[in-house]
Amino acid sequence: MLVPTLAATAALFTTSAHAWGAAGHEIVATIAEIHLHPPVLAFLRSDSSLIPDYAKGHLAPIATWPDRIRMVPEYRGWSGQLHYGSWDGDHPPQVCSWPGTGDGTDDEGGKGRWHSDNDVIHAVANYTSRLETNPHDWESLRFLVHFLGDIHQPLHLTSRERGGNGDPVLWEGRRTNLHSLWDGLLIARALREHSNYTSPLPSQQIESALMGRIYDPYIRLLLWEGVRTWWRTSLPGWFTCSPSSSALSPSPTPPHPAQLVLGAGPAKATVCPVTWATETHKTTCEMGFPDGYDEHGAPVEAGGKSEFYRRIRDSLTVERLLTQAGLRLAATLNTVLGPVAAAAADEAGLDGRMHEGVLNLSWLEEAEREAW
Ligand SMILES: *[C@@H]1O[C@H](CO)[C@@H](O)[C@H](O)[C@H]1NC(C)=O
Ligand SMILES: *[C@@H]1O[C@H](CO)[C@@H](O)[C@H](O)[C@H]1NC(C)=O
Ligand SMILES: *[C@@H]1O[C@H](CO)[C@@H](O)[C@H](O)[C@H]1NC(C)=O
């Protein structure tokens, strides 16, 4: 009896660990789907290699694919490192190294270098370009959906102790590490803390993307409270590349090759993984680790009543990161796939007209018009 019991327990642990890690990526994909322009979503659904049958027309089921295939021979050895990125010498919270912006406010680490070019920043650029070149490239779509999530996970952006995997902490008295905390435990906790949106919202645009998952109420809250109120004024800034990455700035670091400008005319948008990673890294630095964290000391409590956890919760940091990732993914897909989607719609005699913005925010306009 012992062997099967152990095996069953192990299986339970693997699935639940995986499932929590999966929740973040699926939430990001679902938020993105809600904000796609209808012709773009129709285009994705029209190709069963892009959205396979098992996904039932949704993006969330493909979001964890890059984690699942990491050890498959075809992908082993090269795809794993694309989930992370870091600047050499970074060791938060004591030393925060990241390329300087050149405006004199944050030059620390400006003379260093990227730990590797095979990182999540380059990967976002890589798979964005590949998808633009070949809109039917299902592999690029899956990598892109996943890596947009990873670039918003604070501990995917430092090489300290392999992104905190080697940094033990306690979570409600149980030993874990900071990487797992950010990958899953904080999200799991957030789902429990923000569970008041159990009833459907009046918006069909939002509801039709939900698949009856445990995180549906959380997604409703991120949009209904978050996008509508909490981040309303900062929202436009989420879609501009920081000036440091433009050619105009007298930056000591040349524009990163991974910042892309895509499209033309009103649809022109910039896919700026460097700006996004830089913003996430601020969170890595300010909140990624408990104050004065020392991996050699006895593991400190990072859950419940700890100052570390309260700061993350009260600043809505996990909520912001997931929402930014989802909306930026939507903007990227709308930009990259907009032209081919519009052409496909025209050909099918459907309305291929695309809303001007990089996001379909009709639900927000409707909510305001109807004073929901
Ligand atoms: C770019 O994509 C190709 C094809 O999947 C892959 O071989 C290469 O490693 C990728 N490079 C980066 C930096 O993402
Ligand atoms: C739902 O809970 C959040 C905090 O989790 C709160 O900010 C919000 O006001 C609540 N909204 C409703 C409608 O109860
Ligand atoms: C946004 O998406 C919803 C649902 O797919 C759709 O009804 C609406 O027309 C879209 N808005 C725009 C401006 O395309």
Side-chain angles (χ1 to χ4, degrees):
M1 273 317 284
L2 185 62
V3 172
T5 311
L6 270 182
T9 315
L12 191 71
F13 266 99
T14 338
T15 357
S16 64
H18 193 80
W20 290 131
H25 286 286
E26 293 182 9
I27 289 166
V28 168
T30 305
I31 292 175
E33 183 181 318
I34 291 166
H35 297 91
L36 291 179
H37 293 313
V40 171
L41 186 55
F43 172 79
L44 290 171
R45 287 176 172 163
S46 71
D47 178 344
S48 65
S49 66
L50 292 174
I51 297 195
D53 290 346
Y54 68 78
K56 299 192 163 57
H58 296 288
L59 276 186
I62 65 168
T64 55
W65 177 84
D67 275 339
R68 285 186 269 127
I69 52 85
R70 257 161 105 145
M71 293 303 157
V72 171
E74 208 184 328
Y75 300 96
R76 194 169 50 207
W78 63 271
S79 77
Q81 57 187 320
L82 301 180
H83 295 241
Y84 307 91
S86 64
W87 187 254
D88 270 348
D90 190 41
H91 197 272
Q94 291 86 2
V95 181
C96 288
S97 277
W98 197 259
T101 54
D103 60 4
T105 58
D106 130 50
D107 263 347
E108 211 178 350
K111 292 182 190 64
R113 59 184 188 93
W114 295 104
H115 187 67
S116 160
D117 283 349
N118 290 313
D119 66 4
V120 68
I121 300 173
H122 293 81
V124 167
N126 185 27
Y127 291 111
T128 303
S129 310
R130 281 171 183 270
L131 191 62
E132 193 184 32
T133 308
N134 175 11
H136 295 279
D137 180 356
W138 60 271
E139 225 175 53
S140 291
L141 175 71
R142 291 176 194 193
F143 278 128
L144 197 54
V145 169
H146 189 86
F147 292 153
L148 251 292
D150 282 342
I151 213 168
H152 290 85
Q153 206 283 45
L155 292 211
H156 276 244
L157 293 175
T158 177
S159 53
R160 172 185 175 143
E161 302 299 328
R162 296 170 294 119
N165 272 299
D167 285 327
V169 283
L170 299 177
W171 177 255
E172 309 303 344
R174 278 180 54 183
R175 205 181 157 95
T176 179
N177 65 69
L178 280 164
H179 190 88
S180 304
L181 198 93
W182 279 99
D183 251 3
L185 292 166
L186 285 173
I187 297 175
R189 168 63 62 86
L191 296 186
R192 266 193 287 143
E193 292 235 332
H194 300 287
S195 56
N196 53 355
Y197 277 83
T198 48
S199 327
L201 292 171
S203 164
Q204 193 48 32
Q205 184 182 349
I206 295 173
E207 291 300 322
S208 63
L210 303 181
M211 298 179 72
R213 294 291 150 85
I214 189 166
Y215 48 73
D216 289 358
Y218 189 53
I219 292 178
R220 294 188 183 110
L221 172 108
L222 294 181
L223 301 182
W224 215 246
E225 304 277 346
V227 170
R228 230 160 58 121
T229 317
W230 302 338
W231 308 299
R232 186 55 186 276
T233 50
S234 47
L235 206 63
W238 290 5
F239 304 95
T240 48
C241 283
S242 76
S244 69
S245 47
S246 88
L248 296 172
S249 135
S251 165
T253 31
H256 194 289
Q259 300 271 43
L260 307 174
V261 179
L262 299 166
K268 180 170 156 156
T270 313
V271 177
C272 16
V274 183
T275 306
W276 303 337
T278 300
E279 204 178 323
T280 305
H281 187 262
K282 284 207 170 72
T283 304
T284 314
C285 217
E286 290 163 9
M287 303 215 193
F289 298 79
D291 266 352
Y293 181 80
D294 171 11
E295 75 269 25
H296 302 299
V300 292
E301 175 61 51
K305 299 188 175 58
S306 70
E307 177 61 26
F308 168 74
Y309 172 70
R310 282 218 309 270
R311 273 180 62 208
I312 294 169
R313 184 195 60 193
D314 296 349
S315 56
L316 300 162
T317 294
V318 172
E319 288 68 37
R320 172 181 54 82
L321 291 166
L322 290 169
T323 308
Q324 285 180 320
L327 296 182
R328 285 166 172 167
L329 174 58
T332 303
L333 294 176
N334 281 332
T335 306
V336 172
L337 299 176
V340 67
D346 278 347
E347 207 163 294
L350 300 170
D351 185 1
R353 271 174 308 162
M354 211 83 66
H355 193 62
E356 290 238 323
V358 290
L359 292 180
N360 176 356
L361 280 170
S362 291
W363 68 265
L364 185 59
E365 290 156 22
E366 201 181 356
E368 268 157 20
R369 203 170 49 239
E370 308 285 332
W372 280 337

